[in-house]
């Protein structure tokens, strides 16, 4: 019922984890392997290990979460080596990369090429850009430069993780760039950047880094995530799959994202809140909705959102 394909990668279940929450250590990745998740996706890796920002740096809230982790990770070699350990789960293992520079990204991508147990690379385009410039994905020229350099040397299935866009012209500009490259997928969306959540009783910010400004996840971002999934589904070449992430905590949320065109859905904040059992929960709920509506596979309704009459 829930099987899908991202480019040529087959997933028995279209629901898996988002990069970031609960996917930094081999133990966490193995727990994802043991869960009902259809794939295993790692925390965005940098060339060398990073401790990240001081805590509190991730906080759950009634409407979702806020974080400014600062890219804590075990370094790219760790996630490369993990591939052999995770092969026994017989589900695609995808490595997320977020190099501190283009040179670092190219070096990491080069080292991933030979590992057959890495099904795909998810390049995080929220990765830092040159000082004084916005994140890469908000710098269209830099994005084009990065993708040209990446695809000059990459032969593995590769997709990009995108931040949310809000201006319709930006969707068109970004799609025009992305359509030039042999991308396997885009994952929409990353957290909505630089939100601010406050503890009004203590009169202080919830998180410590960046004076409390951090990426929002969960209910706060679902409507924006749906819009980004729909826009890129409509604007990108059909060979580029759209993977949905943002505010999915139920079968209904997953159904809505697939209705917008998603080939697969990723769970982040809800995974942090409820643990790897969330994949079985959401899978069961989505299956029940599909059965009630008479759908046998997600292709029966994927992308078929209608406009209100
Ligand atoms: C924001 C960056 C630190 C540049 C990338 C890593 C990242 C982080 C993070 O590690 O702080 N948090 C997110 O919600 N999304 C991200 O892509």
């Amino acid at each position: 019922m829930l099987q899908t394909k991202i480019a040529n990668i087959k997933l028995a279940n279209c629901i898996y984890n988002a990069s970031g929450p609960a996917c930094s250590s081999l133990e966490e990745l193995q727990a994802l392997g043991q869960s009902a998740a259809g794939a295993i996706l790692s925390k965005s890796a940098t060339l060398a290990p990073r401790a990240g920002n001081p805590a509190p740096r991730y906080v759950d809230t009634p409407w979702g979460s806020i974080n400014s982790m600062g890219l804590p990770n075990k370094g790219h070699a760790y996630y490369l080596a993990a591939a052999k350990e995770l092969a026994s789960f017989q589900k695609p293992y995808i490595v997320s990369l977020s190099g501190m520079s283009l040179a670092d990204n190219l070096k990491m991508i080069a080292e991933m090429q030979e590992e057959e147990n890495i099904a795909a690379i998810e390049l995080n385009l929220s990765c830092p850009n040159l000082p004084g410039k916005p994140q890469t994905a908000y710098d269209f020229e830099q994005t084009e430069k990065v993708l040209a350099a990446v695809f000059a040397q990459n032969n593995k299935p590769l997709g990009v993780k995108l931040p949310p866009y809000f201006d319709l012209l930006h969707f068109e500009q970004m799609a025009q760039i992305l359509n030039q490259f042999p991308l396997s997928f885009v994952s929409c969306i990353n957290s909505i950047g630089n939100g601010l959540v406050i503890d009004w009783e203590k009169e202080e910010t919830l998180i410590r880094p960046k004076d409390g400004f951090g990426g929002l996840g969960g209910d706060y971002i679902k409507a924006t995530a749906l819009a980004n999934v729909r826009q890129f589904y409509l604007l990108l070449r059909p060979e580029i799959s759209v993977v949905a992430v943002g505010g999915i905590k139920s079968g209904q949320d997953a159904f809505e994202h697939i209705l917008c065109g998603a080939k697969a859905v990723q769970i982040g904040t809800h995974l942090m809140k409820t643990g790897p059992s969330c994949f079985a929960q959401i899978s069961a709920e989505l299956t029940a909705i599909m059965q009630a509506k008479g759908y046998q596979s997600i292709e029966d309704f994927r992308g078929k959102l209608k406009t209100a009459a």
Side-chain angles (χ1 to χ4, degrees), residues 19-21 43-44 50 53 57 66-72 98 100 124-128 135 161 190-192 210 214-217:
S19 181
K43 166 67 183 173
S44 293
R50 280 172 59 90
N53 290 332
R57 61 190 190 181
I66 183 166
N67 90 85
S68 183
M69 304 295 287
L71 262 175
S98 180
M100 300 308 284
N124 184 349
L125 287 186
S126 288
C127 55
Q135 62 170 289
K161 174 75 168 283
N190 205 325
S191 48
I192 291 183
K210 292 175 59 179
L216 301 176

Side-chain angles (χ1 to χ4, degrees), residues 33-291:
Q34 276 146 8
S35 79
I40 303 167
L41 175 56
S42 75
K43 166 67 183 173
S44 293
T46 47
L47 203 59
R50 280 172 59 90
N53 290 332
R57 61 190 190 181
Y58 177 101
V59 176
D60 283 327
T61 74
W63 286 353
S65 64
I66 183 166
N67 90 85
S68 183
M69 304 295 287
L71 262 175
N73 75 95
K74 308 259 187 188
H76 80 292
Y78 181 95
Y79 301 106
L80 175 54
K84 289 183 176 46
E85 309 294 322
L86 297 167
S88 59
F89 294 111
Q90 303 198 316
K91 56 181 78 167
Y93 172 50
I94 304 168
V95 175
S96 173
L97 300 176
S98 180
M100 300 308 284
S101 67
L102 174 53
D104 281 6
N105 275 321
L106 295 177
K107 194 163 179 192
M108 292 191 286
I109 290 170
E111 291 187 34
M112 303 280 160
Q113 296 298 303
E114 308 316 316
E115 179 48 70
E116 60 184 14
N117 293 304
I118 291 175
I121 291 167
E122 183 178 90
L123 178 62
N124 184 349
L125 287 186
S126 288
C127 55
N129 193 357
L130 305 171
K133 304 270 258 178
Q135 62 170 289
T136 300
Y138 287 161
D139 177 345
F140 296 124
E141 279 173 37
Q142 183 66 11
T143 295
E144 192 160 356
K145 186 166 164 262
V146 167
L147 292 178
V150 163
F151 283 106
Q153 66 167 55
N154 175 68
N155 297 302
K156 254 200 190 299
L158 185 142
V160 288
K161 174 75 168 283
L162 297 177
Y165 297 93
F166 303 91
D167 186 302
L168 297 188
L169 216 65
H170 288 166
F171 288 114
E172 288 169 12
Q173 284 176 295
M174 200 56 192
Q176 190 269 327
I177 293 167
L178 296 169
N179 277 329
Q180 294 170 35
F181 299 99
L183 283 159
S184 294
F185 62 92
V186 298
S187 299
C188 301
I189 60 177
N190 205 325
S191 48
I192 291 183
N194 297 307
L196 181 61
V197 184
I198 289 166
D199 178 329
W200 66 274
E201 290 169 313
K202 294 198 276 186
E203 300 179 17
E204 63 183 33
T205 62
L206 279 200
I207 60 173
R208 180 170 170 205
K210 292 175 59 179
D211 290 322
F213 290 86
L216 301 176
D219 297 359
Y220 297 114
I221 76 169
K222 179 180 153 185
T224 296
L226 287 170
N228 277 257
V229 168
R230 188 64 178 163
Q231 286 284 349
F232 284 112
Y233 170 73
L234 294 172
L235 291 168
L236 292 178
R237 296 185 284 107
E239 299 79 18
I240 304 177
S241 298
V242 179
V243 175
V245 41
I248 301 168
K249 63 181 183 185
S250 69
Q252 179 201 313
D253 298 327
F255 182 85
E256 291 179 30
H257 273 286
I258 296 166
L259 199 58
C260 288
K263 277 282 192 68
V265 303
Q266 297 178 351
I267 315 298
T269 295
H270 188 56
L271 167 61
M272 274 300 270
K273 289 187 174 183
T274 65
S277 63
C278 69
F279 299 106
Q281 170 232 330
I282 295 172
S283 299
E285 291 172 358
L286 176 56
T287 300
I289 289 170
M290 287 170 66
Q291 282 169 334

